DNA sequence: ATCCTGACTGTACTGCGAGTCCAGTTGACC
DNA sequence: GGTCAACTGGACTCGCAGTACAGTCAGGAT
């Protein structure tokens, strides 16, 4: 129970790698079971269909992403107590993290899921939606803290600004994937960081 | 030859609507031929396989998008000769255009293709890449014109800033699609517009 | 009038992958 | 020794992509 990873997790690991590399539809159950060294029957024992697999993968991915953000901004907070600088440091850390991934970031499952959503059931779609709404709330909260200290130079909708973090990451990953370049996402985050510096230049 | 749309275009129209609504994989040749009222043989007469269809669709989509940008910024230029204001007006027009689409923007084929790229051959992938590089060049050119008149408050990489237009649109469309909201993309564009206003605030 | 060609129709076939069904095996723990 | 969870293995259906090919049909070219 400690030495060998349990089968379900092994399936998820193999599937995640394959799906991030080539997409959900292009990944066959055949190759997943081959990679995990189980039988087709074994796969369907754990997941009633591909939809259930997608759902489990998405849940795991979202949890990991949230844990990453928690960690990143906690570290940033340790370095600087000012909410703006905390945000700026967190974004820098995020950008660095994306750059350090040798093959480039695996690519956000959110976008991939969004564009193939007819393949999935309502549960999967809703999971996706809730994840983005969660990030909106997280970042809007951080931006509201900033506005208590800094006067924004231009009026902006805080929900939209919160969404922009996710949007810039997603958009950057799309570019990176399509262009086959390696640091578009981190560059885009750094540009967004500059935006925040310009927006919150003056203390209240 | 005038009255009825030729079969190839009819196939592309039907396919485009279906693909934008539910994705490429989820669209079967069966339903395309049913919609276009032709036989399966007829379909394969025009397109050797689904890949050729994807390629033709992408070509048409990219041409349309480029024509749209040409038109938008030409109109903006008529309204104001200053390169910054031309850019700001063009983005406003783009945002308005996205909002006016009742069902929301169909969703950019670029992102969709990027995340399913293993389904496609090198030709399709390259088409995608070239399109984004074209937009990078277009917007970088516009930003360089702006910097000849306005001093940017912060140093930014002009290629990355050019990419940010595409990235913000793509990212916004991903959010919109996943959230099932209607104006995220236009909101994101307006936020990016504010960024430019802050970045190029002072004349040289 | 005839021939040719481009644009199809219609049918029959292969092959792959998802998903179902189910009978049987194996190892752990109670 | 019995029970149960975690499988294996094989046979089957179904939908869809793609192949193959024979035949039809309208409209020029000669």
């Amino acid at each position: 129970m400690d030495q060998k990873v349990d089968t379900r997790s092994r399936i998820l690991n193999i599937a995640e790698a394959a799906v991030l590399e080539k997409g959900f539809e292009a990944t066959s159950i055949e190759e997943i079971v081959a990679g995990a060294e189980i039988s087709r029957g074994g796969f369907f024992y754990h997941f009633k269909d591909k939809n259930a697999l997608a759902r489990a993968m998405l849940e795991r991915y979202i949890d990991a992403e949230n844990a990453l953000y928690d960690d990143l901004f906690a570290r940033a907070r340790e370095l600087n107590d000012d909410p703006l600088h905390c945000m700026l440091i967190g974004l820098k850390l995020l950008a660095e993290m994306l750059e350090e991934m040798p093959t480039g970031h695996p690519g956000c499952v959110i976008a991939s899921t969004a564009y193939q959503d007819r393949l999935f059931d309502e549960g999967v779609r809703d999971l996706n939606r809730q994840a983005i709404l969660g990030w909106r709330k997280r970042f809007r909260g951080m931006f509201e803290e900033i506005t208590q200290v800094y006067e924004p130079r231009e009026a902006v909708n805080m929900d939209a600004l919160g969404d922009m973090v996710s949007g810039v990451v997603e958009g950057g990953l799309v570019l990176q994937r399509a262009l086959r370049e390696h640091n578009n996402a981190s560059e885009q985050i750094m540009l967004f960081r500059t935006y925040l510096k310009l927006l919150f230049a003056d203390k209240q």
Side-chain angles (χ1 to χ4, degrees), chain A residues 3 9-10 31 37 39 44 57 102 119 139 147-148 151:
Chain A
Q3 188 69 342
S9 302
R10 229 166 60 237
E31 76 175 278
E37 291 176 318
S39 64
F44 286 106
M57 283 176 55
L119 289 168
F139 293 115
T147 56
Q148 278 165 21
E151 174 80 31

Side-chain angles (χ1 to χ4, degrees), chain A residues 81-98:
Chain A
D81 221 38
D82 177 89
L84 176 60
H85 288 96
C86 170
M87 182 84 222
L88 296 177
I89 293 167
L91 289 176
K92 186 86 202 298
L93 290 172
L94 179 58
E96 276 168 11
M97 212 206 59
L98 283 168

Side-chain angles (χ1 to χ4, degrees), chain A residues 5 35 41 76 95 135-138 153 169 175 203:
Chain A
V5 189
W135 296 328
R136 171 188 288 177
K137 197 179 158 196
R138 170 193 291 265
R153 281 203 193 159
V169 173
L175 297 180
K203 288 231 177 194

Side-chain angles (χ1 to χ4, degrees), chain A residues 155-167:
Chain A
V156 294
N157 176 331
M158 286 297 146
D159 271 340
L161 195 61
D163 282 349
M164 201 171 192
V165 182
S166 307

